[in-house]
Amino acid sequence: MEKYLYIALFAPLVSSLFAALFATKPKKLFVGIVASILLFISFVSSAILLSYLAGTEEIVKVTLFDWITTGKLNIPFGFVVDEVSVIMMVTVTLVSTLVHIYSIGYMEHDKGFNRFFSYLSAFVFSMLILVMSDNFAGLFIGWEGVGLCSWLLIGFWYYKKDEPREVNPSISPAWAANEAFIMNRIADLGMLLGLFLIYWHIGSLQYDVVFAHVDMFSISVITLMGIFLFIGAMGKSAQFPLHTWLADAMEGPTPVSALIHAATMVTAGVYLVIRSFPIYSQIPDIGFYIACLGAFVAVFAASMALVNTDLKRIIAYSTLSQLGYMFVAAGLEAYWIALFHLMTHAFFKALLFLGAGNVMHAMNDELNIFKMGGLYKVMKWTAIMMIIASLALSGIYPFAGFFSKDKILEVAFDSGHYLLWFTLWVGAGMTAFYSFRLIMLVFFGEERYKKYGFHPHEAPWYMLAAMAPLAVLAIIAGFFEEPFEEFVTRLLPEYHFHIHGILTVALVGLTTLIALSGIALAVYKYSHGGFSEKWKETFIYKLLYNQYYIPILYDKLFVEPYKELSKIAWKELDLRIVDATVDFIAGVIYSTGFKGRVIQSGNLSKMLRWMVIGLLILLILVVVYSMAR
Amino acid sequence: MITLNHYLVLAAILFSIALVGILRRKNLLLLFFATEIALNAINIALAAFSKYLGDLTGQLFAFFIIAIAASEVAVGLGLLIIWYKRTGNIDLDSLQSMKW
Amino acid sequence: MYEVVAFYLFAALTITMFTITVMTKNALYAMTSLAAGMIFISAFFFLLDADFLGVVQIIVYSGAVMAVYAFGMMFLDTLKDVKEKNPSKKIVFFLSGMIALLLVIILLTPMISDKVQALYPVSDELGNAEAVGIVLFTKYLVPFEVAAIMLLVAMIAGIILASKRMDESITLKVDEEIEKEVKGSQ
């Protein structure tokens, strides 16, 4: 089985290196095809591992080589395939394979075609390291690796010019990439502190060692560990207040948004919390805080999605909101439910993004949904698949989201935090509304695109074919709930519901009700011309539309003062002290050389004189040295 | 009684005389003479070591130094003559054609 | 006693001769006093029981080397007073004086120690020339041969260098002619 582990892990690396060979060359179709095939091989190996693990209950562990060995610190490059990581592997490799195939079509006319595949495969490799590592150090390497690839891919069109915030809320791809990178660095600092704390107290970073010893420490130490690790998770999963980068990250190509910023990388934070469940189950208070933050983000992000006009940003806020749901489940110790929602979400959110990519292609990269409408006639298949994804997202039976999201709501109710449940319940209504607002504005109603002179067309068959498996999974994934629970609870703790029978049914009914009414409201409103213009003048609309003014606040609060500080450091510190010192040294050397130049006069008798002076100095040294001795 | 130090001091004095010559002479031929003096001073020191340490190596070194001095004279004088034929003087300060 | 007298006598003579060599303005005097100084130095070698070295000193230095210098001087116009344009005599004498002082200070410290082991001890049974010969042709055979080759090379080099335009005399020419030639050749 180790063979399959290595194949699954290294096939994306091979793909990345292969594509990198052609990075500066013009588009080569076979690069995309080879990359997709290698990714598919990786997926097949992951699937084989999954079936092996399901059949034999044997965890596959390998150690590639000793990586860091100094003193007491011993970190091997070890990988583990257990119930959690194999689920992540299958999800990641499946979505990435489909995104790779889809990208062949999507990036067709891009001059960075080969480079794109190199980055994308490198991302998959890093993500696999993240989920497969058997220690926190390896996880951190993968963590940073996906961060780097995310930076590369958000800034893929780095040559686009900066624009003012009013024109483009994310300014430019390069700006958005840097924002994402810096935000993640802030969070990673917290995560590093967490790792140091763990090593400091336990003396190892291996999962099994750490988790076996974690209950030996006082609750305050474990609390600190939990907080620091969660800060890391907050950055990667874009939780408030480090959430602004995710919406701006939509500047990247759409397949990137589908793979990285919806399905895989942003869920790494959830994965971390799930993976560290022995730590978090010791500290239910922190878990409750995580759940509260998750619920807050779920509603907070959904509210921003309600009014946004940017196709991809709406979906990005939706991702943010769904991540909040996952954290609620993880925080309330329903780890397997969080993982389940992570998986189903990966399928339907990637599908939604790929559909959005098709729409963008059809509309020449236009993103304003108010310039679209009536696209159902020309893009029937895309529309159907996006409706499936939206239904799944809204949590309508029998789609995947119904099973996972309702479970989270049940957990919230069951744990006795009714306010939490109510928040999520409202969030579910908002989710349904904004999803179908999007569908209505893009695919139905008046054909506004004709005004703007667009000529939309359906995407090529292989792009649709790449989306089809995701659509199927978005429909059926929910029915695997029971085998999934049985499988992952071998490792993760089970969650025991206290509520039964009629109450459960009532909860499901309530949730479905609000989701359906959200859908109904959206369908009704936008098939009758939408909201009035007056609504746009209200304070709430403006607040939501400007993302609660948080990016501007960050600008004023952090960016501007930092700029000022940098200017002071530049003018006062750098120019006056650092540069002056360097210039002084250079000046001394220069003037010494200028004055010493006369020694090299080319006149032999002068040279002889210098030689004798040198001899004299040597003799003096001999005398001084022998006397000193 | 004459000791090793006597000879060494004599050699040092002769060497310094040679240094005076090297420093003040501008005439290349006389500069050669000064270097011969320096070599001879060293030869005295080597012969003295040889005697007072009871070892023949010093004397053999002196032989090789004489051989080197002889070849130096042959080549050096040849070059000197050519230089004189080209420029008409053998002043050290005129040897500056390599100067930038 | 006899040795002490000889040492001081020859020391005084050598120093005088070499001082004349360095200080005189006349090249001919310089050469003559140098030759004399060389011969006086061989006296030290005899005093130091290095008979063979003394003989070589007289033959090679005073004979061959000085003869070469004498012939060399015939090529050059050396009868003129040598003009020395020296910026400052103080520097010259200060430097040399200091070096002499330091060397004397260094050399006055006791040199001989018991730790020194003679590699090729002087034996009483053999004469100096014999002993030197034995060491030279056993231990130092290769350096000896290399030195011989070096001398051969130097001889060839000397002949070739000096024999260019041998048919012209430079000393008999008037200064203007030489200058003209120099300009012509440049």
Side-chain angles (χ1 to χ4, degrees):
Chain A
M1 278 301 120
E2 291 175 10
K3 178 175 64 185
Y4 293 109
L5 188 154
Y6 286 130
I7 292 171
L9 180 61
F10 287 111
L13 179 66
V14 171
S15 158
S16 169
L17 295 177
F18 177 77
L21 288 179
F22 304 94
T24 55
K25 300 271 167 27
K27 184 196 160 184
K28 298 247 191 311
L29 184 62
F30 68 87
V31 171
I33 293 171
V34 168
S36 304
I37 291 171
L38 282 165
L39 262 291
F40 184 70
I41 291 170
S42 174
F43 165 65
V44 169
S45 309
S46 307
I48 291 170
L49 284 169
L50 174 67
S51 71
Y52 173 80
L53 206 59
T56 61
E57 305 194 12
E58 251 178 67
I59 290 173
V60 184
K61 279 192 86 155
V62 294
T63 304
L64 197 54
F65 55 83
D66 279 342
W67 178 36
I68 301 175
T69 312
T70 56
K72 285 183 190 167
L73 178 66
N74 182 12
I75 301 171
F77 236 124
F79 299 101
V80 64
V81 176
D82 57 17
E83 285 79 3
V84 176
S85 60
V86 83
I87 291 290
M88 290 297 287
M89 278 169 71
V90 171
T91 315
V92 168
T93 50
L94 172 62
V95 178
S96 6
T97 309
L98 297 173
V99 167
H100 268 75
I101 297 168
Y102 179 86
S103 303
I104 297 175
Y106 189 84
M107 302 301 285
E108 200 175 12
H109 302 299
D110 199 285
K111 58 181 175 172
F113 184 84
N114 305 332
R115 189 163 59 95
F116 181 79
F117 279 97
S118 177
Y119 292 169
L120 209 58
S121 298
F123 165 79
V124 179
F125 175 66
S126 312
M127 190 71 201
L128 287 175
I129 291 211
L130 196 163
V131 298
M132 288 164 73
S133 173
D134 70 346
N135 57 60
F136 279 109
L139 176 130
F140 188 71
I141 293 300
W143 194 269
E144 295 300 306
V146 293
L148 170 71
C149 295
S150 158
W151 178 77
L152 286 169
L153 285 164
I154 298 171
F156 189 74
W157 290 315
Y158 54 86
Y159 40 79
K160 283 190 185 168
K161 291 273 177 297
D162 281 7
E163 287 171 45
R165 212 181 264 284
E166 290 74 39
V167 181
N168 180 356
S170 31
I171 298 180
S172 73
W175 193 90
N178 288 341
E179 185 194 11
F181 200 74
I182 291 165
M183 286 253 182
N184 273 301
R185 288 295 77 64
I186 296 168
D188 289 350
L189 182 64
M191 170 139 171
L192 266 183
L193 288 176
L195 298 192
F196 292 155
L197 205 62
I198 288 172
Y199 181 72
W200 183 263
H201 284 283
I202 298 171
S204 171
L205 289 171
Q206 298 295 114
Y207 290 147
D208 35 12
V209 180
V210 172
F211 298 150
H213 293 87
V214 77
D215 47 359
M216 283 161 47
F217 297 98
S218 67
I219 208 76
S220 60
V221 171
I222 304 175
T223 308
L224 272 180
M225 285 178 192
I227 290 174
F228 282 132
L229 287 182
F230 183 62
I231 290 174
M234 271 163 70
K236 207 44 101 202
S237 292
Q239 294 298 293
F240 183 84
L242 299 173
H243 64 281
T244 54
W245 69 268
L246 184 60
D248 290 340
M250 295 302 124
E251 282 292 322
T254 310
V256 172
S257 310
L259 178 59
I260 301 185
H261 304 119
T264 52
M265 187 187 85
V266 288
T267 59
V270 184
Y271 170 78
L272 178 66
V273 174
I274 295 172
R275 176 57 83 184
S276 320
F277 73 88
I279 294 179
Y280 285 102
S281 50
Q282 299 275 331
I283 38 173
D285 290 345
I286 296 297
F288 180 62
Y289 163 72
I290 293 173
C292 288
L293 186 74
F296 167 66
V297 171
V299 177
F300 169 76
S303 66
M304 290 192 280
L306 290 177
V307 297
N308 212 296
T309 59
D310 185 309
L311 178 64
K312 282 179 73 182
R313 279 178 163 261
I314 293 173
I315 311 180
Y317 289 131
S318 155
T319 306
L320 214 52
S321 161
Q322 297 305 308
L323 287 168
Y325 279 90
M326 291 176 213
F327 275 116
V328 172
L332 295 176
E333 295 179 42
Y335 300 107
W336 76 266
I337 298 173
L339 190 63
F340 187 50
H341 191 53
L342 189 161
M343 188 182 80
T344 56
H345 171 256
F347 298 144
F348 57 70
K349 191 50 68 64
L351 179 62
L352 209 52
F353 262 118
L354 296 183
N358 281 356
V359 173
M360 275 173 70
H361 242 210
M363 300 289 294
N364 295 337
D365 289 340
E366 179 55 57
L367 280 167
N368 190 338
I369 51 175
F370 282 97
K371 292 184 181 173
M372 301 172 189
L375 283 171
Y376 181 80
K377 283 169 203 154
V378 277
M379 305 180 70
K380 194 173 154 201
W381 287 106
T382 305
I384 289 173
M385 283 196 265
M386 276 188 83
I387 290 167
I388 291 172
S390 295
L391 284 170
L393 179 60
S394 310
I396 304 298
Y397 188 84
F399 297 96
F402 170 80
F403 296 89
S404 54
K405 209 159 104 184
D406 268 8
K407 264 280 175 315
I408 294 175
L409 280 151
E410 275 173 46
V411 167
F413 192 86
D414 181 64
S415 64
H417 305 298
Y418 300 115
L419 190 65
L420 219 57
W421 172 81
F422 181 71
T423 319
L424 293 181
W425 185 71
V426 174
M430 286 169 151
T431 309
F433 177 79
Y434 67 67
S435 303
F436 278 86
R437 172 175 173 265
L438 178 82
I439 297 290
M440 291 305 292
L441 282 171
V442 173
F443 291 109
F444 299 99
E446 189 193 343
E447 290 167 339
R448 289 180 296 272
Y449 62 84
K450 283 183 178 161
K451 257 194 302 194
Y452 299 95
F454 292 117
H455 300 287
H457 53 85
E458 181 60 290
W461 64 268
Y462 52 90
M463 284 166 81
L464 293 171
M467 291 163 68
L470 290 174
V472 172
L473 280 168
I475 300 170
I476 62 160
F479 295 106
F480 294 109
E481 184 184 337
E482 275 176 20
F484 183 89
E485 180 183 3
E486 189 268 323
F487 181 65
V488 294
T489 47
R490 285 181 204 161
L491 183 73
L492 296 174
E494 288 183 51
Y495 188 85
H496 299 288
F497 286 98
H498 305 102
I499 49 169
H500 298 287
I502 191 76
L503 202 49
T504 317
V505 175
L507 279 175
V508 170
L510 271 176
T511 317
T512 310
L513 188 70
I514 192 163
L516 282 175
S517 46
I519 294 172
L521 182 66
V523 171
Y524 174 77
K525 266 291 178 190
Y526 286 99
S527 55
H528 290 81
F531 288 91
S532 63
E533 287 296 311
K534 242 189 271 171
W535 164 237
K536 286 193 178 173
E537 300 301 316
T538 57
F539 172 70
I540 292 180
Y541 180 88
K542 279 186 181 162
L543 186 70
L544 295 180
Y545 190 77
N546 288 306
Q547 308 169 41
Y548 294 92
Y549 294 103
I550 284 173
I552 296 165
L553 188 73
Y554 282 180
D555 250 8
K556 292 267 178 292
L557 212 60
F558 300 113
V559 178
E560 294 293 330
Y562 187 75
K563 236 183 209 166
E564 286 305 310
L565 199 69
S566 306
K567 256 184 201 162
I568 291 169
W570 165 45
K571 290 210 168 126
E572 303 299 320
L573 277 177
D574 195 56
L575 284 184
R576 293 225 181 136
I577 296 173
V578 179
D579 276 14
T581 315
V582 173
D583 285 353
F584 175 73
I585 294 168
V588 167
I589 291 169
Y590 189 80
S591 62
T592 316
F594 196 77
K595 284 177 188 138
R597 196 177 61 149
V598 288
I599 298 173
Q600 297 283 346
S601 61
N603 186 319
L604 279 174
S605 64
K606 278 183 188 157
M607 286 185 185
L608 280 173
R609 201 170 300 153
W610 282 112
M611 191 183 88
V612 173
I613 289 172
L615 176 66
L616 180 65
I617 292 169
L618 283 178
L619 286 173
I620 290 171
L621 283 178
V622 168
V623 172
V624 170
Y625 180 69
S626 56
M627 278 202 292
R629 206 172 47 173
Chain B
M1 189 59 202
I2 302 299
T3 61
L4 175 61
N5 283 349
H6 284 78
Y7 281 100
L8 292 180
V9 169
L10 175 69
I13 290 169
L14 290 182
F15 187 78
S16 306
I17 292 172
L19 271 185
V20 173
I22 287 170
L23 284 176
R24 75 180 285 269
R25 288 297 189 192
K26 297 272 168 161
N27 188 307
L28 268 173
L29 188 73
L30 297 179
L31 208 63
F32 271 121
F33 289 176
T35 55
E36 297 296 341
I37 297 171
L39 289 170
N40 271 297
I42 301 304
N43 273 355
I44 292 177
L46 284 171
F49 277 126
S50 170
K51 154 111 180 183
Y52 288 94
L53 298 177
D55 192 334
L56 276 176
T57 316
Q59 289 186 33
L60 289 164
F61 252 90
F63 281 120
F64 288 117
I65 287 178
I66 290 174
I68 286 168
S71 17
E72 173 227 312
V73 168
V75 179
L77 264 181
L79 290 170
L80 202 61
I81 288 163
I82 292 212
W83 185 254
Y84 189 73
K85 277 178 180 169
R86 284 179 64 99
T87 63
N89 71 51
I90 45 172
D91 196 340
L92 201 55
D93 290 335
S94 71
L95 286 172
Q96 289 202 13
S97 57
M98 292 275 275
K99 188 181 177 184
W100 178 66
Chain C
M1 191 61 217
Y2 146 78
E3 195 194 356
V4 176
V5 173
F7 176 78
Y8 283 113
L9 175 67
F10 283 112
L13 280 171
T14 353
I15 290 171
T16 320
M17 285 304 134
F18 284 156
T19 312
I20 293 170
T21 311
V22 244
M23 302 306 289
T24 181
K25 282 183 179 172
N26 191 316
L28 215 53
Y29 289 175
M31 197 195 74
T32 321
S33 61
L34 181 67
M38 299 286 187
I39 292 181
F40 292 141
I41 278 180
S42 67
F44 292 117
F45 294 155
F46 292 123
L47 279 176
L48 288 165
D49 296 338
D51 306 342
F52 189 65
L53 189 61
V55 172
V56 168
Q57 171 81 7
I58 292 177
I59 294 173
V60 173
Y61 253 118
S62 317
V65 172
M66 293 321 294
V68 172
Y69 273 128
F71 280 115
M73 280 173 72
M74 290 177 196
F75 283 90
L76 314 169
D77 189 10
T78 41
L79 281 177
K80 288 189 282 190
D81 272 2
V82 180
K83 275 173 275 174
E84 309 282 7
K85 299 169 286 180
N86 247 316
S88 76
K89 285 193 170 151
K90 276 182 202 162
I91 295 178
V92 171
F93 289 114
F94 169 75
L95 283 175
S96 309
M98 282 299 290
I99 286 177
L101 187 67
L102 286 170
L103 277 176
V104 169
I105 289 172
I106 292 165
L107 295 177
L108 275 179
T109 52
M111 281 284 179
I112 301 170
S113 83
D114 300 334
K115 287 175 190 164
V116 179
Q117 287 267 316
L119 273 175
Y120 303 101
V122 182
S123 70
D124 295 334
E125 296 158 25
L126 299 169
N128 176 256
E130 212 175 346
V132 166
I134 288 169
V135 178
L136 197 60
F137 288 110
T138 54
K139 181 69 186 172
Y140 288 95
L141 184 61
V142 175
F144 178 76
E145 296 295 343
V146 172
I149 291 170
M150 184 181 72
L151 282 169
L152 181 67
V153 170
M155 184 183 81
I156 296 168
I159 291 170
I160 288 175
L161 286 173
S163 67
K164 278 185 181 164
R165 294 156 77 193
M166 188 74 110
D167 47 340
E168 296 172 38
S169 159
I170 6 177
T171 38
L172 292 180
K173 276 184 185 166
V174 203
D175 284 0
E176 287 87 62
E177 276 180 59
I178 298 169
E179 296 222 334
K180 224 194 290 171
E181 259 191 31
V182 168
K183 274 175 193 160
S185 70
Q186 269 171 355

